[in-house]
Amino acid sequence: MIDPLADPVHERLLRLWQAWMPAGPLLPHELKTACADRWVRFHSLPESKRYADGEREYAVLLNRYNTVLDELFASGDVYVVTTDWADPSEPTRWSEHRRALHPEGTLWITLDETDDPDPEFHTRWYFYADRRPWQGGCLDLLLRAVADDTLPGIFVTDTDLTRIYHPYDGGADVILATPEDRDRLRHRHAGWLSSHPSGY
């Protein structure tokens, strides 16, 4: 993990994570497990279709992404976090693409994923962050790349780390402040839920 103290934005975000979860930030796909009681998943296209075919379907998925993002973050600042990864001895895989889509993001922390006993499967994750006022549509290029599975996990959070939005190719995982908040959001967008009993 790098020292974030040179950047007050990064230092504050790390302090929030460590207060919420002492081990520090999680990989975006781990949020649904760590916060299962406050988690809901929305699919980005009708009938749980995974990928868009044509501009009409891109409009649908961007509308779904932005509708929830606006409900979560309107009139406030957010942290936008993108990630990259590599074997610890290798250069990152997505650097140029990620930088083009998130030029404001600067390196926040690194995490080493070393659970596998085989070192060949160890991974170093790089988290890049920036803080900005939320504006609907401001992440459309990033969201479109996520929807096409051409960029690894991103997430957006309010500045108190009480609401987290993690889009992926096919939908978005949302973490709310309380189970009651989660239930209200889920009810408002019931037509976007998975039909699977697990919510996946």
Side-chain angles (χ1 to χ4, degrees):
M1 183 178 293
I2 69 167
D3 182 357
L5 293 177
D7 187 326
V9 170
H10 293 178
E11 191 273 336
R12 182 176 189 277
L13 183 54
L14 184 60
R15 280 192 288 108
L16 286 167
W17 274 100
Q18 290 176 329
W20 178 57
M21 188 168 293
L26 297 170
L27 297 177
H29 64 268
E30 297 174 324
L31 290 165
K32 63 183 180 294
T33 303
C35 307
D37 63 326
R38 298 179 286 128
W39 163 79
V40 61
R41 170 171 285 182
F42 297 115
H43 287 176
S44 52
L45 287 169
E47 300 179 1
S48 300
K49 184 178 180 182
R50 187 113 191 183
Y51 298 105
D53 291 319
E55 291 304 315
R56 182 172 296 179
E57 289 188 342
Y58 279 112
V60 171
L61 67 82
L62 287 172
N63 178 66
R64 290 190 181 189
Y65 284 145
N66 279 299
T67 295
V68 177
L69 284 161
D70 286 343
E71 291 178 19
L72 296 175
F73 304 124
S75 303
D77 280 9
V78 296
Y79 293 110
V80 177
V81 180
T82 55
T83 63
D84 199 353
W85 77 90
D87 178 292
S89 64
E90 299 288 335
T92 57
R93 301 175 185 228
W94 300 86
S95 294
E96 291 185 14
H97 187 50
R98 187 211 57 78
R99 192 179 305 114
L101 291 168
H102 188 207
E104 308 88 351
T106 55
L107 187 61
W108 168 34
I109 58 167
T110 62
L111 294 178
D112 287 333
E113 192 176 24
T114 57
D115 293 340
D116 196 294
D118 186 343
E120 288 191 13
F121 294 98
H122 292 179
T123 303
R124 176 165 294 155
W125 285 83
Y126 300 81
F127 289 64
Y128 300 84
D130 78 281
R131 178 173 172 164
R132 66 179 76 180
W134 173 254
Q135 294 181 331
C138 71
L139 297 182
D140 280 1
L141 292 177
L142 270 175
L143 293 171
R144 188 161 172 147
V146 168
D148 288 340
D149 196 23
T150 63
L151 193 71
I154 78 167
F155 65 88
V156 184
T157 180
D158 65 289
T159 56
D160 291 322
L161 201 63
T162 59
R163 302 178 304 281
I164 305 173
Y165 186 88
H166 163 50
Y168 67 92
D169 54 313
D173 290 328
V174 187
I175 309 301
L176 279 300
T178 67
E180 294 76 20
D181 290 340
R182 183 272 317 272
D183 291 346
R184 284 189 288 270
L185 185 68
R186 181 164 58 188
H187 179 73
R188 283 200 299 274
H189 304 295
W192 302 350
L193 299 171
S194 169
S195 60
H196 193 281
S198 70
Y200 284 19

